[in-house]
Every structure is written in structure tokens, then in C-alpha cells.
Amino acid sequence: MPLIQLWKSNTSAIDEFSIEQIVSTSGDGKLKDNSLCSNELREYFSQISSDKISEYIDYCLTNSFSKSGLVLQDLVNELGRRLDYTVTNGLYQGSQNKIGFDGIWVSPESNHIIVEVKTTDVYRISLDNLMTYKKNLLKNEIVSENTSLLIVVGREDTGELEAQVRGSRHAWDIRLISTDALINLVKLKESSEEIETAQKIRSILIPMEYTKLDEMIDVMFTTAKDVETSSEEQVLIDSQEGNQPDEEEKQWHFTDSKILQSKRESIVATIGKQNNINLIKKSRALYWDSNHKFRIACTMSKRYELTHETPYWYAYHPKWDEFLIEGSESFFVLGCMDLEVAFVIPHSIIKQNIENFHITTKRNSDSMYWHIKIKDDDAGNYYLLLPKKSETLIINQYLIKLASA
């Protein structure tokens, strides 16, 4: 039985496999270029969580097994995809007729990175050879002039290789990062919501001059600010429902981020199971399948007892709308912290009614969001409020029951 089919039919059993066992289960178990084993393994990597990728990388670095270096190469390339690079996998085995590279990453900002993956820095590598790869790729118009090299090393102790790069005439074209640090960048990006944060994270992987520290400080400030604001789900409640109050009449309500995320993950898992897909975390609230066709924006609300008319309040952000527009099957998912249900509303329904929601523009900022409110009744019905035309839309048909753990 193919690996993906086996994994979907018995996820818990496959999750207990080591990466060595996963490779043996893929195709004919023989990992080589353009093989069924390679294709199945890469498809599997594209559908698992970043935490699982981290676990497999650790296994590759602490256990010696056949082809572990090739598996590490594929795992690192998948981390590149999680940072929103378009990734071309390189060959496992070089040849005279093929340009040797482990991966080519192209960012949304059109920066090209030639990736070289090393398990350890015990052995010196030829930086001249890496630059030859770049020269040949440029000649064949596979990469642009805006291309740098990134060496990804399995161990944190990279002193020897750092010294080699610093002493090389190619130092300004090369960056070096450990797998642990690369994983941390992915996790940081997944915990954020701002597009600018992802851009700043990707900028770290590009060589830059550090005599002037402004750009590095900007990266640190942007990411720190985003993590701070995304650490809790924020819902703005109007003191007088139905009005647009002054700032002093507004109050923010917070729920612990760990509890929120646990509930969100339960909802995401249920949606994935019902649609026979595995949803990958793009950011704190955004998920998609490995083909990026099925997409959801999942947000949460506690029950606000002070607002009996509309106990559930949500924000709907323009960046979420842009994300959902680009999917072929897209849904805005509303979770309720006190209920074992969620509302999986087609994006088309939200778009049809977008002009009927109230809007808040943040102070000292151009950013805004739409207020999404749900009310219920004693008969067990749930309604989406359309305040600008004083109507409601029943949403019981979009209700799903959460799968038990």
C-alpha cells in the first residue's frame, strides 16, 4: 500500500514510525533520484506538521542510517516551503551532465537562494564548487542575478565552516544556518499573522552588510511586535452593541493563547478528517493543504456573557480575505470556546455579505478588520449578523461537530 494511503488509513500507527521506517515504507524503499520512493517521501513531507519535520531532522542527525543525508536534504527543502519559498529539489547524486545543488528556493520577493545541506561541518567543503553551481545556473537562466547561497548544517557547532566562509573571497555571497535555527524561523513564522513578519524572516537568510545595524534591528523589532500581538486572540467588544463607540468606550478581551490554539487545532483536525485532507499550518490562523487549493482561516471566540444578543465576536482581516480568495475551496471557520462545534462558512458567503459587516480601523494605523458576530436562540439555531441591513443569516448548515480526541 502506498505510504500516503497507508498514513491516511492509519495515521496514529505511521506517526509512531521513525523516519528510517518511513523511508523503507515509501515506494520500493530505495531512495534515489526520480524514484517512486523519493516521490512518495516528498509528498508525505509536504503534508505533515513542522513539528514532525523537526522530529525527523533530529533523528537523521542522531542516528546513522543509509541515505540519512538524502532524507535530511528533502526535510530541509520542505522547511523552505514552510517559509513560503517556491522550492526546486536538487539531485541526490551529482553527475557531469547535471548542475549540482541540493535545492533552489525562490522567495515571493524574487530572491533566489541556492541551498547546500550538510549533516556536519567536520569536512571542509569547496566554496568554489558552490559558486560554480551559481555560475552555471545563471548561465542556464535557472536563477537570477539576485542569487545567494545558503549552507544549512545539521549541527549548531559550525565554527570550522564559519571560519572557512569568513576567510573566503565568496563570503559576501554566502549565509550559514543550523537546522535548529531554521526550524525556529519556521515556528516563528507559523505563530505570526503579519505578512511583513514572514518577509523579515526571509530577509535573514540573504547576505547583508552589518556595519550599519538598522536593518537587523528592524527585523528583530518587527518579529517581536508580531509575536506579542499574536500571543493572544484579541476581540474588540463595543460597550453599546450596534454602535460604533469612541475609543474610551471600547474594551479588549483576551483568552489564553495555548487554550485557543488547542481548540483551533481540534477544529482543523476535524475539517481535515471530514475532507480527507491534511491541513498544514501557514500562520497562526491560516491553514492549507499541500497543493494550496483547500484553504481555511480559523478564528476563535469565547462566549461573552455581557453581550447576550451576540455572544460570539470575531475579527475578519483583509489579509485573510486575500489568502482565501486564492484557494479553489476556501472557508472562514468560526470556533466557539464553550462549544464542541464550529462553523465552516464558505468564503463566497462572506464575500457576498462583506458590505453588511461593521468595520474597525485601528488607531494610528491604516489596518482595519470587519466585525463578525454570531447569535443563537433557545431553539438551537445560530445566526450570522448583517448589521448594516438589519438582517441575520442562519448558519446551522455550516455547523460541524468536533471529532473526539
Side-chain angles (χ1 to χ4, degrees), residues 299-315:
T299 187
M300 311 297 300
S301 173
K302 61 188 267 187
R303 187 179 184 92
Y304 295 94
E305 298 296 347
L306 295 178
T307 57
H308 299 292
E309 291 294 321
T310 52
Y312 300 104
W313 290 61
Y314 306 86

PDB file of all heavy atoms in Angstrom, residues 299-315:
ATOM      1  N   THR A 299     -10.628  31.244  13.227  1.00  0.00           N
ATOM      2  CA  THR A 299     -10.510  32.164  14.351  1.00  0.00           C
ATOM      3  C   THR A 299     -11.465  31.744  15.456  1.00  0.00           C
ATOM      4  O   THR A 299     -12.430  31.005  15.216  1.00  0.00           O
ATOM      5  CB  THR A 299     -10.779  33.613  13.902  1.00  0.00           C
ATOM      6  OG1 THR A 299     -10.490  34.505  14.970  1.00  0.00           O
ATOM      7  CG2 THR A 299     -12.220  33.800  13.447  1.00  0.00           C
ATOM      8  N   MET A 300     -11.200  32.213  16.678  1.00  0.00           N
ATOM      9  CA  MET A 300     -11.902  31.716  17.858  1.00  0.00           C
ATOM     10  C   MET A 300     -12.558  32.849  18.639  1.00  0.00           C
ATOM     11  O   MET A 300     -12.117  33.994  18.593  1.00  0.00           O
ATOM     12  CB  MET A 300     -10.915  30.991  18.789  1.00  0.00           C
ATOM     13  CG  MET A 300     -10.025  29.957  18.107  1.00  0.00           C
ATOM     14  SD  MET A 300     -10.948  28.604  17.394  1.00  0.00           S
ATOM     15  CE  MET A 300     -11.751  27.982  18.869  1.00  0.00           C
ATOM     16  N   SER A 301     -13.607  32.483  19.377  1.00  0.00           N
ATOM     17  CA  SER A 301     -14.243  33.428  20.290  1.00  0.00           C
ATOM     18  C   SER A 301     -14.724  32.680  21.529  1.00  0.00           C
ATOM     19  O   SER A 301     -15.263  31.581  21.429  1.00  0.00           O
ATOM     20  CB  SER A 301     -15.437  34.117  19.612  1.00  0.00           C
ATOM     21  OG  SER A 301     -16.163  34.912  20.548  1.00  0.00           O
ATOM     22  N   LYS A 302     -14.513  33.273  22.682  1.00  0.00           N
ATOM     23  CA  LYS A 302     -15.179  32.796  23.891  1.00  0.00           C
ATOM     24  C   LYS A 302     -16.613  33.298  23.855  1.00  0.00           C
ATOM     25  O   LYS A 302     -16.993  34.072  22.971  1.00  0.00           O
ATOM     26  CB  LYS A 302     -14.464  33.316  25.131  1.00  0.00           C
ATOM     27  CG  LYS A 302     -14.442  34.827  25.233  1.00  0.00           C
ATOM     28  CD  LYS A 302     -13.565  35.316  26.374  1.00  0.00           C
ATOM     29  CE  LYS A 302     -14.378  35.528  27.631  1.00  0.00           C
ATOM     30  NZ  LYS A 302     -13.556  36.173  28.693  1.00  0.00           N
ATOM     31  N   ARG A 303     -17.409  32.854  24.797  1.00  0.00           N
ATOM     32  CA  ARG A 303     -18.774  33.365  24.896  1.00  0.00           C
ATOM     33  C   ARG A 303     -18.768  34.580  25.803  1.00  0.00           C
ATOM     34  O   ARG A 303     -18.325  34.515  26.952  1.00  0.00           O
ATOM     35  CB  ARG A 303     -19.723  32.298  25.442  1.00  0.00           C
ATOM     36  CG  ARG A 303     -21.189  32.731  25.400  1.00  0.00           C
ATOM     37  CD  ARG A 303     -22.114  31.635  25.917  1.00  0.00           C
ATOM     38  NE  ARG A 303     -23.506  32.044  25.781  1.00  0.00           N
ATOM     39  CZ  ARG A 303     -24.279  31.786  24.738  1.00  0.00           C
ATOM     40  NH1 ARG A 303     -23.776  31.106  23.717  1.00  0.00           N
ATOM     41  NH2 ARG A 303     -25.533  32.203  24.689  1.00  0.00           N
ATOM     42  N   TYR A 304     -19.239  35.703  25.280  1.00  0.00           N
ATOM     43  CA  TYR A 304     -19.252  36.953  26.029  1.00  0.00           C
ATOM     44  C   TYR A 304     -20.632  37.142  26.663  1.00  0.00           C
ATOM     45  O   TYR A 304     -21.601  37.502  25.988  1.00  0.00           O
ATOM     46  CB  TYR A 304     -18.904  38.126  25.111  1.00  0.00           C
ATOM     47  CG  TYR A 304     -17.489  38.037  24.598  1.00  0.00           C
ATOM     48  CD1 TYR A 304     -17.210  37.451  23.370  1.00  0.00           C
ATOM     49  CD2 TYR A 304     -16.424  38.496  25.372  1.00  0.00           C
ATOM     50  CE1 TYR A 304     -15.909  37.344  22.916  1.00  0.00           C
ATOM     51  CE2 TYR A 304     -15.117  38.394  24.923  1.00  0.00           C
ATOM     52  CZ  TYR A 304     -14.864  37.813  23.695  1.00  0.00           C
ATOM     53  OH  TYR A 304     -13.569  37.698  23.247  1.00  0.00           O
ATOM     54  N   GLU A 305     -20.702  36.857  27.947  1.00  0.00           N
ATOM     55  CA  GLU A 305     -21.988  36.881  28.648  1.00  0.00           C
ATOM     56  C   GLU A 305     -22.565  38.284  28.762  1.00  0.00           C
ATOM     57  O   GLU A 305     -23.771  38.447  28.936  1.00  0.00           O
ATOM     58  CB  GLU A 305     -21.824  36.272  30.046  1.00  0.00           C
ATOM     59  CG  GLU A 305     -21.380  34.810  30.023  1.00  0.00           C
ATOM     60  CD  GLU A 305     -22.407  33.878  29.377  1.00  0.00           C
ATOM     61  OE1 GLU A 305     -23.559  34.309  29.174  1.00  0.00           O
ATOM     62  OE2 GLU A 305     -22.043  32.735  29.047  1.00  0.00           O
ATOM     63  N   LEU A 306     -21.728  39.308  28.670  1.00  0.00           N
ATOM     64  CA  LEU A 306     -22.229  40.675  28.794  1.00  0.00           C
ATOM     65  C   LEU A 306     -22.960  41.140  27.542  1.00  0.00           C
ATOM     66  O   LEU A 306     -23.618  42.169  27.548  1.00  0.00           O
ATOM     67  CB  LEU A 306     -21.071  41.635  29.112  1.00  0.00           C
ATOM     68  CG  LEU A 306     -20.391  41.426  30.463  1.00  0.00           C
ATOM     69  CD1 LEU A 306     -19.239  42.411  30.628  1.00  0.00           C
ATOM     70  CD2 LEU A 306     -21.391  41.592  31.607  1.00  0.00           C
ATOM     71  N   THR A 307     -22.802  40.394  26.466  1.00  0.00           N
ATOM     72  CA  THR A 307     -23.468  40.760  25.216  1.00  0.00           C
ATOM     73  C   THR A 307     -24.436  39.640  24.836  1.00  0.00           C
ATOM     74  O   THR A 307     -24.167  38.860  23.929  1.00  0.00           O
ATOM     75  CB  THR A 307     -22.442  40.990  24.092  1.00  0.00           C
ATOM     76  OG1 THR A 307     -21.660  39.793  23.940  1.00  0.00           O
ATOM     77  CG2 THR A 307     -21.523  42.137  24.424  1.00  0.00           C
ATOM     78  N   HIS A 308     -25.562  39.541  25.536  1.00  0.00           N
ATOM     79  CA  HIS A 308     -26.485  38.424  25.364  1.00  0.00           C
ATOM     80  C   HIS A 308     -27.035  38.340  23.948  1.00  0.00           C
ATOM     81  O   HIS A 308     -27.342  37.252  23.456  1.00  0.00           O
ATOM     82  CB  HIS A 308     -27.632  38.549  26.372  1.00  0.00           C
ATOM     83  CG  HIS A 308     -27.173  38.520  27.806  1.00  0.00           C
ATOM     84  ND1 HIS A 308     -26.639  37.387  28.379  1.00  0.00           N
ATOM     85  CD2 HIS A 308     -27.146  39.471  28.768  1.00  0.00           C
ATOM     86  CE1 HIS A 308     -26.320  37.637  29.640  1.00  0.00           C
ATOM     87  NE2 HIS A 308     -26.607  38.905  29.903  1.00  0.00           N
ATOM     88  N   GLU A 309     -27.180  39.482  23.281  1.00  0.00           N
ATOM     89  CA  GLU A 309     -27.737  39.476  21.938  1.00  0.00           C
ATOM     90  C   GLU A 309     -26.798  38.798  20.943  1.00  0.00           C
ATOM     91  O   GLU A 309     -27.234  38.085  20.049  1.00  0.00           O
ATOM     92  CB  GLU A 309     -28.029  40.908  21.481  1.00  0.00           C
ATOM     93  CG  GLU A 309     -29.164  41.586  22.226  1.00  0.00           C
ATOM     94  CD  GLU A 309     -30.505  40.931  21.949  1.00  0.00           C
ATOM     95  OE1 GLU A 309     -30.736  40.546  20.793  1.00  0.00           O
ATOM     96  OE2 GLU A 309     -31.305  40.801  22.878  1.00  0.00           O
ATOM     97  N   THR A 310     -25.503  39.041  21.093  1.00  0.00           N
ATOM     98  CA  THR A 310     -24.496  38.465  20.191  1.00  0.00           C
ATOM     99  C   THR A 310     -23.323  37.965  21.022  1.00  0.00           C
ATOM    100  O   THR A 310     -22.335  38.677  21.223  1.00  0.00           O
ATOM    101  CB  THR A 310     -24.004  39.515  19.174  1.00  0.00           C
ATOM    102  OG1 THR A 310     -23.593  40.687  19.890  1.00  0.00           O
ATOM    103  CG2 THR A 310     -25.109  39.881  18.204  1.00  0.00           C
ATOM    104  N   PRO A 311     -23.396  36.762  21.515  1.00  0.00           N
ATOM    105  CA  PRO A 311     -22.367  36.273  22.446  1.00  0.00           C
ATOM    106  C   PRO A 311     -21.019  35.933  21.810  1.00  0.00           C
ATOM    107  O   PRO A 311     -20.027  35.795  22.527  1.00  0.00           O
ATOM    108  CB  PRO A 311     -23.008  35.019  23.041  1.00  0.00           C
ATOM    109  CG  PRO A 311     -23.978  34.562  22.002  1.00  0.00           C
ATOM    110  CD  PRO A 311     -24.502  35.803  21.354  1.00  0.00           C
ATOM    111  N   TYR A 312     -20.942  35.774  20.497  1.00  0.00           N
ATOM    112  CA  TYR A 312     -19.677  35.401  19.859  1.00  0.00           C
ATOM    113  C   TYR A 312     -19.241  36.512  18.891  1.00  0.00           C
ATOM    114  O   TYR A 312     -19.987  36.904  18.001  1.00  0.00           O
ATOM    115  CB  TYR A 312     -19.818  34.074  19.112  1.00  0.00           C
ATOM    116  CG  TYR A 312     -20.211  32.933  20.026  1.00  0.00           C
ATOM    117  CD1 TYR A 312     -21.515  32.443  20.036  1.00  0.00           C
ATOM    118  CD2 TYR A 312     -19.282  32.359  20.893  1.00  0.00           C
ATOM    119  CE1 TYR A 312     -21.886  31.402  20.878  1.00  0.00           C
ATOM    120  CE2 TYR A 312     -19.646  31.319  21.749  1.00  0.00           C
ATOM    121  CZ  TYR A 312     -20.949  30.849  21.734  1.00  0.00           C
ATOM    122  OH  TYR A 312     -21.314  29.826  22.588  1.00  0.00           O
ATOM    123  N   TRP A 313     -18.024  37.004  19.111  1.00  0.00           N
ATOM    124  CA  TRP A 313     -17.463  38.107  18.329  1.00  0.00           C
ATOM    125  C   TRP A 313     -16.139  37.675  17.698  1.00  0.00           C
ATOM    126  O   TRP A 313     -15.303  37.052  18.355  1.00  0.00           O
ATOM    127  CB  TRP A 313     -17.203  39.323  19.221  1.00  0.00           C
ATOM    128  CG  TRP A 313     -18.439  40.001  19.718  1.00  0.00           C
ATOM    129  CD1 TRP A 313     -19.426  39.468  20.493  1.00  0.00           C
ATOM    130  CD2 TRP A 313     -18.799  41.356  19.473  1.00  0.00           C
ATOM    131  NE1 TRP A 313     -20.380  40.408  20.757  1.00  0.00           N
ATOM    132  CE2 TRP A 313     -20.025  41.582  20.151  1.00  0.00           C
ATOM    133  CE3 TRP A 313     -18.207  42.408  18.769  1.00  0.00           C
ATOM    134  CZ2 TRP A 313     -20.678  42.816  20.130  1.00  0.00           C
ATOM    135  CZ3 TRP A 313     -18.853  43.634  18.754  1.00  0.00           C
ATOM    136  CH2 TRP A 313     -20.076  43.829  19.426  1.00  0.00           C
ATOM    137  N   TYR A 314     -15.954  38.064  16.440  1.00  0.00           N
ATOM    138  CA  TYR A 314     -14.733  37.709  15.711  1.00  0.00           C
ATOM    139  C   TYR A 314     -14.250  38.912  14.895  1.00  0.00           C
ATOM    140  O   TYR A 314     -15.021  39.817  14.592  1.00  0.00           O
ATOM    141  CB  TYR A 314     -14.988  36.545  14.743  1.00  0.00           C
ATOM    142  CG  TYR A 314     -15.601  35.319  15.376  1.00  0.00           C
ATOM    143  CD1 TYR A 314     -16.991  35.217  15.512  1.00  0.00           C
ATOM    144  CD2 TYR A 314     -14.817  34.262  15.826  1.00  0.00           C
ATOM    145  CE1 TYR A 314     -17.568  34.095  16.082  1.00  0.00           C
ATOM    146  CE2 TYR A 314     -15.394  33.130  16.395  1.00  0.00           C
ATOM    147  CZ  TYR A 314     -16.768  33.058  16.532  1.00  0.00           C
ATOM    148  OH  TYR A 314     -17.337  31.944  17.104  1.00  0.00           O
ATOM    149  N   ALA A 315     -12.988  38.849  14.527  1.00  0.00           N
ATOM    150  CA  ALA A 315     -12.443  39.798  13.555  1.00  0.00           C
ATOM    151  C   ALA A 315     -12.157  39.042  12.264  1.00  0.00           C
ATOM    152  O   ALA A 315     -11.735  37.883  12.287  1.00  0.00           O
ATOM    153  CB  ALA A 315     -11.163  40.436  14.087  1.00  0.00           C
TER     154      ALA A 315
END
